[in-house]
Amino acid sequence: MAHVTTNKEKIIARVRRIAGQVAAIERSVAADADCAETLHLVAAVRGAVAGLMDELVEDHLHAHVAAPHLSDAERTAQAAELARLLRRHFR
């Protein structure tokens, strides 16, 4: 994702926070924590991943689908790739 270089540190920080949240889920399950508490942790991870996905998709759209320097063929190919990704994401 070469176009992420301007936000790379911010993206990496978000990924590391998500990793920490996933580790909290593991600790919660290992400690036989309250089910509701564990479910809240999972919901938080899901929201964090969805937010990251939103940001990355938006960056991808600007860099690989809507950029003015792209040819029609490049734009079509990148739009098709993004559509495949989104179909997989929304399953």
Side-chain angles (χ1 to χ4, degrees):
M1 295 191 70
H3 58 87
V4 176
T5 56
T6 57
N7 295 324
K8 184 183 269 187
E9 292 305 316
K10 185 176 129 184
I11 299 285
I12 290 170
R14 284 181 81 167
V15 170
R16 288 181 178 150
R17 281 193 303 275
I18 291 168
Q21 289 176 301
V22 171
I25 294 169
E26 181 179 0
R27 289 190 302 273
S28 181
V29 171
D32 292 324
D34 179 64
C35 292
E37 178 183 320
T38 303
L39 289 170
H40 281 284
L41 292 171
V42 172
V45 169
R46 183 177 182 190
V49 170
L52 177 62
M53 182 71 164
D54 291 347
E55 183 173 342
L56 294 176
V57 166
E58 182 178 353
D59 287 349
H60 181 79
L61 276 170
H62 290 296
H64 298 290
V65 179
H69 68 276
L70 296 171
S71 69
D72 287 343
E74 290 171 317
R75 193 177 317 281
T76 299
Q78 290 295 324
E81 176 63 26
L82 184 58
R84 281 192 298 275
L85 169 80
L86 292 174
R87 274 194 300 277
R88 183 174 181 189
H89 174 68
F90 289 116
R91 280 188 197 171

